Amino acid sequence: MKSILYKLSFFTLIFLFSFNGFAQDFQGKAYYFSKSKMELGAWGARLSEAQKKQIQERLKNRLEKTYILNFNREESVFDEEEKLDAWSGATDSWGKNFSPGKSYKNIKDNALVQSQEFYGKKFLVKDKLLALEWKMGTESKQIGQYTCFKATTVVPTSELTWYNFSWGDLRRTEQKEEGSEDTKTNEPDIKLTQIEAWFTPQIPVGHGPGEYWGLPGLILEVSAGNTIMLCSKIIMNPEEKIKIEAPEKGKLTTKSEYQSIVQGKMREMRDNRGRRRSR
């Protein structure tokens, strides 16, 4: 118990010391590089190494991304830097349907506003921030010029990927709708994702990349599932004033409603494809 209180006091002192060193209206810009491991499952086991390498190159734009986080004390906007596809020279329009859009977080109001585009239709998702119960670790390390401390948590995987789509999730939804005996007697376990974050109290804000927030300092590195995000550059109080505003365009919805819309559209596409094949 004493060690836990000591850790909390230690982080609090660092936070307060750093907080007093910043002007009330400070702003910051952080650049992140994200890299995901390719998972091909049982199908991938039948491929040669050359084929796997070719697929990895083709999917590079989805596996490696860069983002910018603009922030002040209470608000932040996180958005992807758009890149051209290495093969076609065009943007990845298919992958964009299942990627996170521009995300605004207000930690004071516990509010998320995220723009999403799905098959040409714009949506504005308004919801609460992801609930994260962080556990402080004892380790520390240097990321660039910043001393960072470790924190971990566990969340349901579906809460991290609500903007994405899975045929498995659709099958489970349909089983529940049909009252399948399997779902009645053998409910599937909730899939969880372990999250490891490194934050620096030297920048005393509760922001972080993507869904992540709520630590006593800016999150500079996050590992979750098969993805790692690492901050590569930070600019404090840039000369050009940053506009930190929530997106406004799109059909208003929530996370759960958006998931239902995506599943409905994908189910419709599957059924239409099946009808065409049966003709």
Side-chain angles (χ1 to χ4, degrees):
M1 183 68 180
K2 286 183 180 179
S3 62
I4 294 174
L5 290 173
Y6 176 79
K7 286 178 198 173
L8 290 174
S9 299
F10 175 67
F11 285 121
T12 302
L13 284 171
I14 294 179
F15 181 82
L16 291 174
F17 178 78
S18 301
F19 189 87
N20 290 330
F22 279 85
Q24 287 296 319
D25 60 348
F26 83 93
Q27 292 185 327
K29 182 186 289 280
Y31 295 79
Y32 291 84
F33 175 73
S34 169
K35 187 169 185 177
S36 300
K37 293 180 182 177
M38 183 176 62
E39 295 182 351
L40 297 174
W43 175 73
R46 300 193 295 267
L47 301 176
S48 67
E49 289 303 315
Q51 289 172 319
K52 289 179 184 178
K53 187 175 181 180
Q54 186 180 44
I55 292 172
Q56 191 161 1
E57 280 298 314
R58 184 66 183 87
L59 297 177
K60 189 171 182 179
N61 271 17
R62 297 188 197 179
L63 298 173
E64 298 180 8
K65 299 186 176 185
T66 53
Y67 297 89
I68 297 177
L69 177 72
N70 291 314
F71 61 89
N72 56 33
R73 286 197 185 281
E74 298 174 353
E75 304 166 286
S76 69
V77 171
F78 186 70
D79 200 10
E80 180 184 353
E81 280 192 316
E82 197 168 79
K83 296 185 295 184
L84 293 180
D85 185 87
W87 282 38
S88 67
T91 55
D92 182 10
S93 56
W94 169 258
K96 195 173 181 179
N97 289 313
F98 309 110
S99 298
K102 185 177 183 179
S103 177
Y104 166 88
K105 296 199 293 285
N106 187 313
I107 58 177
K108 181 182 178 181
D109 297 336
N110 189 25
L112 168 76
V113 182
Q114 187 160 313
S115 62
Q116 289 295 134
E117 185 173 334
F118 185 68
Y119 281 97
K121 293 186 178 180
K122 295 184 182 297
F123 295 87
L124 193 65
V125 180
K126 288 190 176 184
D127 219 310
K128 292 183 179 180
L129 298 176
L130 177 63
L132 295 165
E133 297 182 6
W134 294 105
K135 180 181 178 182
M136 298 297 185
T138 56
E139 299 97 327
S140 65
K141 69 177 182 179
Q142 203 76 9
I143 298 179
Q145 67 186 62
Y146 298 97
T147 301
C148 296
F149 299 90
K150 183 179 177 181
T152 57
T153 190
V154 179
V155 298
T157 303
S158 59
E159 294 188 18
L160 290 173
T161 58
W162 58 266
Y163 48 81
N164 206 335
F165 172 77
S166 163
W167 289 111
D169 289 342
L170 178 58
R171 283 193 296 270
R172 285 187 285 273
T173 298
E174 290 177 333
Q175 286 174 347
K176 289 180 180 178
E177 291 172 350
E178 295 167 1
S180 164
E181 289 300 316
D182 290 340
T183 58
K184 286 180 181 177
T185 59
N186 188 25
E187 283 288 332
D189 293 333
I190 297 175
K191 189 177 180 182
L192 301 174
T193 295
Q194 302 275 345
I195 300 169
E196 178 183 295
W198 293 86
F199 68 95
T200 177
Q202 291 172 256
I203 303 177
V205 294
H207 301 303
E211 298 272 357
Y212 309 107
W213 70 289
L215 284 167
L218 182 66
I219 299 172
L220 299 190
E221 182 179 325
V222 179
S223 298
N226 67 342
T227 300
I228 182 170
M229 280 192 282
L230 178 64
C231 182
S232 59
K233 180 182 178 182
I234 298 174
I235 302 173
M236 296 304 301
N237 295 315
E239 292 182 7
E240 186 176 344
K241 185 83 171 172
I242 302 171
K243 284 187 178 181
I244 301 177
E245 300 174 331
E248 297 178 338
K249 295 181 180 179
K251 180 182 177 181
L252 192 61
T253 184
T254 63
K255 290 179 184 178
S256 60
E257 290 169 348
Y258 183 77
Q259 284 179 319
S260 297
I261 291 169
V262 171
Q263 284 195 358
K265 179 63 176 177
M266 296 305 292
R267 186 187 324 206
E268 178 187 322
M269 291 175 62
R270 179 200 61 191
D271 294 345
N272 287 341
R273 191 182 304 119
R275 283 192 288 270
R276 285 197 299 270
R277 287 176 178 173
S278 63
R279 288 175 185 173

